[in-house]
């Protein structure tokens, strides 16, 4: 699957990378709460981007992009927690966090641009 929007593609690929990790956490480590939180917040990034792109107004677009950004920040928290507790290997966690930081930077810049356009 290919997207014309870079942040959509990055969010989709990020979710794809996290799904097997969350399954492994549940099946092998019997960790259900944190893995479910991670799966929900990480997949919500892309889902809210899709909703933003299909939004019915500029205000709706801005709102959904903001939710996507908040979900990315929540995902960062769960990932850091899982890495710090050694439930996710340090190297794997850092690679995921690097991917996530790219997404956060793009979303953050988008929100700043939207705020500048709204105040002009």
């Amino acid at each position: 699957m290919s997207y014309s929007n870079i942040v959509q593609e990055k969010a989709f690929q990020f979710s794809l990378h996290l799904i097997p990790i969350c399954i492994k956490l549940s099946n092998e480590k019997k960790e259900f709460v944190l893995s479910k939180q991670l799966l929900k917040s990480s997949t919500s990034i892309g889902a809210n981007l899709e909703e933003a792109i299909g939004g019915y107004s500029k205000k709706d677009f801005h709102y959904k992009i903001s939710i996507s950004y908040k979900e990315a920040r929540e995902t960062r928290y769960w990932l850091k927690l899982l890495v710090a507790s050694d439930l996710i290997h340090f190297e794997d966690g850092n690679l995921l966090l690097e991917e996530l930081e790219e997404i956060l930077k793009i979303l953050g810049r988008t929100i700043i641009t939207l705020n500048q356009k709204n105040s002009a």
Side-chain angles (χ1 to χ4, degrees), residues 42-115:
S42 65
T43 55
S44 185
I45 299 166
N48 279 291
L49 280 171
E50 288 294 328
E51 286 188 42
I53 291 164
Y56 55 87
S57 68
K58 289 179 183 179
K59 186 176 179 181
D60 187 41
F61 178 81
H62 191 165
Y63 176 69
K64 291 297 183 177
I65 290 288
S66 297
I67 291 174
S68 188
Y69 179 78
K70 289 177 184 182
E71 292 293 340
R73 290 188 58 98
E74 180 182 343
T75 299
R76 182 170 58 184
Y77 174 79
W78 296 124
L79 263 176
K80 284 182 173 183
L81 190 61
L82 286 161
V83 170
S85 62
D86 292 325
L87 288 167
I88 293 178
H89 294 288
F90 182 79
E91 295 82 15
D92 295 336
N94 278 342
L95 288 174
L96 290 166
L97 285 165
E98 286 175 19
E99 276 185 73
L100 185 57
E101 287 304 319
E102 286 183 42
I103 294 168
L104 279 163
K105 285 177 184 177
I106 295 168
L107 291 172
R109 284 193 304 265
T110 302
I111 291 167
I112 288 168
T113 300
L114 290 169
N115 287 338

Side-chain angles (χ1 to χ4, degrees), residues 22-35 87:
C22 292
I23 291 170
K24 184 177 178 178
L25 284 168
S26 293
N27 292 343
E28 293 179 17
K29 302 204 179 200
K30 303 300 179 204
E31 197 305 300
F32 303 105
V33 176
L34 297 176
S35 61
L87 288 167

